[in-house]
Every structure is written in C-alpha cells, then in structure tokens.
Amino acid sequence: MTISVRTGITGLFLTSLLVISGCSSSSSSNDTPIDDDSSSQTPGVDIPTVEDPDTGTNTPVTGGDTTDGTDTTDGTDTTDGTDTTDGTDTTDGSNTTDGNSAPDNILPDASADGSDVSGGEDDSPTAVETASLEGPFIKDAARGAGPPSTPSDLTLLLSAENWLEFSWAPSTDDQAVTAYEVYRDGALIAEVRGDTGYEHDYRSWLSTSFIDCNYTRYTDCVGSRTPIPGTSYSYSVLAIDNEGMRSELSVPATFTFEQLTSDVPDLTDYVRVFDEEFEGDSLDRTKWKAALPWGADTTINLETQYFVNIFAADPMDYTPFEFTGTTMKITGKNTPPELLEQANNLPYLSGVITTSDYFKMTYGYVEMSAKLAGGDGLLSTFYLFNQDYHKNKPEIDIVEYIGSRPDKSYQTYHYYDSIRARNFSGEKHSSPTMESVVSENLSDDFHNYSVLWEPGLVVWYIDGQEVRRMTGVRVSDEPMNIIAQLVVGSSWIGDPSADVIPAEVEIDFIRAWQKP
C-alpha cells in the first residue's frame, strides 16, 4: 500500500498575501475536513457548545444528562462518571485497589496507571503561556507614551512536517496592543488580532500564539509560503498599539519543521500492557465502558447517532455490538420507532467503547486492527483522550476515517492551554487536520492504525508506515484512555445516505505497549 500526505490545499493560489485578520471568509475553503471540535469534544466545565467548523460559531449541545454514562458498584450507572468500589477509578481520577484492570496475562507496567508525568494541573504550561494568563497584552498606565514593548520569548510549542505552532510573551503598553505582526525569514506572513469576528483568530490573539501553515483554517500558505519538511526558518514578532505605534521586532527565533522517516515502530524495549482480541461473545465489562464520560444523553458536534450504553442501569433493548468469535462489529442502524424516545429521538443507533476508568496510560504505543465503515455520513474514529475535565483534555486522534473519502484518513491533535481569560480549561488549540492519502479503499479490508506517543513526540502509522510526526513541549504528558466509535451523521461529515445503513466498523484487536 502506498501512502502519501497532503495539506488539503487543492491548487488555490492567491495573488496577494492573506493575513490572519483577513482570512475568516476563506477558512475551510480547501477540501480537507476540519476536525477542530473533534469527535470526542467534551461538554465539561466550559463547553456545552459545539463549534461549526465553517463559521467558527458555537451551537449549544443537546441533552446534558449524564446519568446513564457511568458506573456504580454493581456495574450500572451513576451520575459522577466514576466507579466507587470495584477497584477502578474514584472521583479524583486515582485508582483505589487494582490499577488498570488489565487481564492477568498482560505484563504490568509502572506508568500504565496513567500518572501525570508533569505533576501539574495543566499539562506543564510553558512559562510563555503562563505569562499570558491575563490576556494578549499587559496594560501599564505608568509606562508613558510610546510604542509597546517588544514581544519576547518566542517559544516553539509543536512542530510537524508542514506546520508548526509557537507563542510569545505578551507586550506591555500604556493603553492597549491591538495586533501582532508575524515575520518568517524577514517577510510579513500574518497579523494576529482579536477583532476580526473569527473564533480562531481570537484564540490565537488571546494566547499570543500562531500556527504557521494552518492549512485547514486559512488559505495563505501556498506556493513559496509552503514550508519544506526538515527546513529551519527564522521568526520574529512585533506589536502594534491602538495609536498605530509599532514596537521593535523581537529577537529572531529559529524553528525547524519535522521530517517523516521510513522507520517502522520498534517495540523491542516495550511490554504489552493492554490486550483486547475480541474473542469472546460479549463486551468485557472489566475493560470497557459503552458510553463516553459525559453520558449517552449529551450530543456533541450535532451528531445524529445515539450511543447505546449496554451497561446502563436501565439498558435499551438493543446492542450495537456483535461478536464473531475473532472480531467485534459496531453497527450503526436506523433507530426503531419503539426506541426513539429512549434514543432522545435521534435517528440512528450506534456504539462506542472506552477504557474510561478501567485503563489509562501515559506514553506508549497503541494499535488497532480494523475494517472501517465506508459511505456518506459515516465516521470511524480511534483515539486517545484524557477524561479529566479539569486539566487540558489532550486528545490524539490516531485515525479518523470519513466513509465518503475511501482512500483518505485524518490525524489531529487537540489540547487546552493555561490561558483562562474566557474558559476554565483555557483556550483550545487544534493542529491542522492532517490528511493521509493511501492507495486503496480503507473500508475494504483490515488495516492497522497506530500511534507512538513519547515525551515530546507523537508519530502516527498506517500498517506500520509512518504518515505523520509531531514534536514539541505541548505534546501531552497526561494519562489518556483508549476510545473507538462509529459516528453516524454530524456537522463535520454530513448526513448518511440510505444505502450505507446499516453500517459497520469491525475490530480485530486493540493493543497497547509501554516501556517498563
């Protein structure tokens, strides 16, 4: 199988330089779907809304009752999302007796309990991000008239082969800073400001950060602006105040784009810490939940399926999970009329499995062998996610497969920073939605989808071939759970066509390894 990677820009060349402040109308104009609020966006402390990926506006989620999504002592559900006496998680996210509940034949690992390596409350925010806690600039009335202070401390947050993200400490002014100009190799490439009306501009403004070549949000990174993998570039930033006075350019910082390798995953120094072969006749209750942490009655991203929680206190008389003896199938189907009320009147039933409260890990290698669902309005997802709403909810999307794009898969990374001017969790940062193109229809057969996650490093693979690479201080060091699901219809993927229902994701195995 041949695999290539793309930015999603499809031949759109602009005759003039587009800066961030002028791109809101042209965002999403390429053909790459944008996973910004993602299939697993939490409706936690600061979010009962979902964002339209085209407009940047927020839409309230429906529901909000999480009473059927979590566990009690007898294997049914409570309202707080945590187990109480069976040796899994308590309300503070820590384990009480037996750790991750992995099968006896799985070698234990000291870090498999998901301890937060940083020991912090926000995934080790950088000093630069912490400096921005009060917002994008600092007002000092005693400063006196004159231009703003020069931006400082440019810090590389994340780097991939065709995009990178960096931030800087906010400038100080006697009145107000209204914009920052970003330069690459001496050429102006963007203006970061908060008054454009575009949500993604505002996020960058509040966190004084910038993604060079955010190709799923803006259309200016084409032609000579497209970065070359493995190449280093010099970046500088200046501040502009409300009187139009401009600071000096910051001290240049040199950042390097990553480069893909031909290396295959080397697990020589790893041990297997989680193993699910799906060889039984039902979902293993010691490993899996069948509801996301916020419960089945909360709908995100305008999704039109209802995730059936077969472990609910009063379960629906239907299961989306079928076992063949060697695999498990998650089926999406039309909601029968007699089940519509239980399904919150959503038109489709489907399933999700998550190791929430049963297994979590910090760093390692995770792999799934699966035949994904093909067809319009279908999204097969496999990802790692931190369920702790009070931290930065990092998420590594190992594979997101839109059934109407049979030879493409998508990889994305999400996290929240320490800037809490608007939200308790901080500002959300999402990588560009990275598209990998293969030489065959991924829904025709089984393929292996995996990720290597180590300190400062994430590498994505399909069938053992590296397709994406990301490094940086903002790679999560928090514990994450394993999740797989089949989404049927959403604001991201559109509605399913009648001929694809019922739809199936068939999973052969899910495994995880860590270094002892």
Side-chain angles (χ1 to χ4, degrees), residues 8 56 66-67 90 157 172 247 284 345 395 463:
T66 61
T67 57
T90 59
L157 301 179
T172 301
S247 74
D284 188 340
N345 292 309
E395 177 181 333
D463 291 334

Side-chain angles (χ1 to χ4, degrees), residues 17-27 168 180-182 188-205 209-214 217-220 225:
L17 176 68
L18 290 177
V19 295
I20 283 187
S21 61
C23 289
S24 60
S25 63
S26 60
S27 64
W168 56 92
Y180 291 95
E181 289 183 345
V182 179
L188 175 65
I189 60 172
E191 185 178 55
V192 176
R193 56 190 307 133
D195 57 1
T196 68
Y198 186 43
E199 169 65 14
H200 297 277
D201 292 350
Y202 197 54
R203 291 181 188 178
S204 296
W205 165 248
S209 65
F210 174 67
I211 295 180
D212 190 7
C213 283
N214 192 353
R217 285 297 173 191
Y218 305 99
T219 55
D220 60 330
R225 276 274 287 114

Side-chain angles (χ1 to χ4, degrees), residues 50 91 174 188 211 213 273 277 285 307 319 333 370 439 480:
V50 292
T91 56
D174 62 318
L188 175 65
I211 295 180
C213 283
V273 294
E277 303 296 325
R285 190 65 182 87
F307 285 138
T319 177
K333 62 174 286 185
S439 59
M480 288 200 265

Side-chain angles (χ1 to χ4, degrees), residues 126-133 135-138 148-157 166-172 177 180 205-209 237-239 247 250 419:
T126 68
V128 173
E129 289 173 327
T130 301
S132 298
L133 284 174
F137 65 90
I138 299 169
S149 66
T150 303
S152 63
D153 300 323
L154 273 64
T155 301
L156 182 63
L157 301 179
F166 65 92
S167 62
W168 56 92
S171 293
T172 301
V177 172
Y180 291 95
W205 165 248
L206 286 178
S207 57
T208 54
S209 65
V237 179
L238 66 78
S247 74
S250 68
I419 316 307

Side-chain angles (χ1 to χ4, degrees), residues 43-369:
V45 175
D46 59 313
I47 307 170
T49 63
V50 292
E51 182 179 279
D52 186 313
D54 290 321
T55 65
T57 58
N58 291 323
T59 303
V61 298
T62 62
D65 180 5
T66 61
T67 57
D68 72 345
T70 53
D71 290 339
T72 62
T73 59
D74 63 354
T76 55
D77 287 355
T78 62
T79 60
D80 66 356
T82 53
D83 285 345
T84 53
T85 65
D86 65 354
T88 52
D89 276 7
T90 59
T91 56
D92 66 355
S94 59
N95 288 334
T96 54
T97 57
D98 69 350
N100 59 42
S101 301
D104 292 339
N105 63 336
I106 303 301
L107 294 173
D109 183 86
S111 64
D113 66 355
S115 59
D116 185 344
V117 174
S118 71
E121 290 301 313
D122 189 42
D123 195 24
S124 302
T126 68
V128 173
E129 289 173 327
T130 301
S132 298
L133 284 174
E134 300 303 320
F137 65 90
I138 299 169
K139 181 178 179 179
D140 181 2
R143 179 178 171 81
S149 66
T150 303
S152 63
D153 300 323
L154 273 64
T155 301
L156 182 63
L157 301 179
L158 294 168
S159 177
E161 72 276 6
N162 56 10
W163 63 270
L164 60 75
E165 179 181 24
F166 65 92
S167 62
W168 56 92
S171 293
T172 301
D173 190 69
D174 62 318
Q175 297 183 47
V177 172
T178 59
Y180 291 95
E181 289 183 345
V182 179
Y183 291 79
R184 186 173 83 182
D185 287 349
L188 175 65
I189 60 172
E191 185 178 55
V192 176
R193 56 190 307 133
D195 57 1
T196 68
Y198 186 43
E199 169 65 14
H200 297 277
D201 292 350
Y202 197 54
R203 291 181 188 178
S204 296
W205 165 248
L206 286 178
S207 57
T208 54
S209 65
F210 174 67
I211 295 180
D212 190 7
C213 283
N214 192 353
Y215 42 78
T216 49
R217 285 297 173 191
Y218 305 99
T219 55
D220 60 330
C221 191
V222 294
S224 61
R225 276 274 287 114
T226 304
I228 300 172
T231 301
S232 298
Y233 298 89
S234 175
Y235 293 88
S236 295
V237 179
L238 66 78
I240 305 173
D241 70 11
N242 60 317
E243 296 178 309
M245 290 187 284
R246 303 158 67 85
S247 74
E248 298 293 326
L249 272 172
S250 68
V251 174
T254 299
F255 302 139
T256 303
F257 286 80
E258 287 298 315
Q259 191 162 22
L260 297 182
T261 76
S262 58
D263 298 340
V264 298
D266 182 2
L267 303 181
T268 302
D269 297 329
Y270 291 71
V271 294
R272 194 179 299 182
V273 294
F274 184 85
D275 194 352
E276 174 60 90
E277 303 296 325
F278 297 109
E279 293 177 342
D281 57 6
S282 62
L283 196 61
D284 188 340
R285 190 65 182 87
T286 70
K287 297 180 181 178
W288 300 103
K289 286 187 174 183
L292 293 166
W294 45 91
D297 291 329
T298 295
T299 300
I300 62 173
N301 297 334
L302 303 182
E303 292 174 8
T304 55
Q305 86 290 324
Y306 183 86
F307 285 138
V308 178
N309 182 8
I310 62 173
F311 300 124
D314 183 20
M316 181 181 292
D317 186 22
Y318 169 74
T319 177
F321 308 109
E322 176 188 347
F323 291 81
T324 68
T326 57
T327 65
M328 180 191 71
K329 297 179 180 180
I330 302 176
T331 300
K333 62 174 286 185
N334 293 308
T335 304
E338 66 273 16
L339 297 179
L340 272 172
E341 184 175 356
Q342 281 185 273
N344 290 338
N345 292 309
L346 291 170
Y348 305 102
L349 301 179
S350 189
V352 58
I353 58 172
T354 170
T355 64
S356 171
D357 292 334
Y358 293 129
F359 174 81
K360 51 189 175 181
M361 61 190 293
T362 303
Y363 303 138
Y365 180 81
V366 183
E367 183 175 44
M368 175 181 75
S369 174

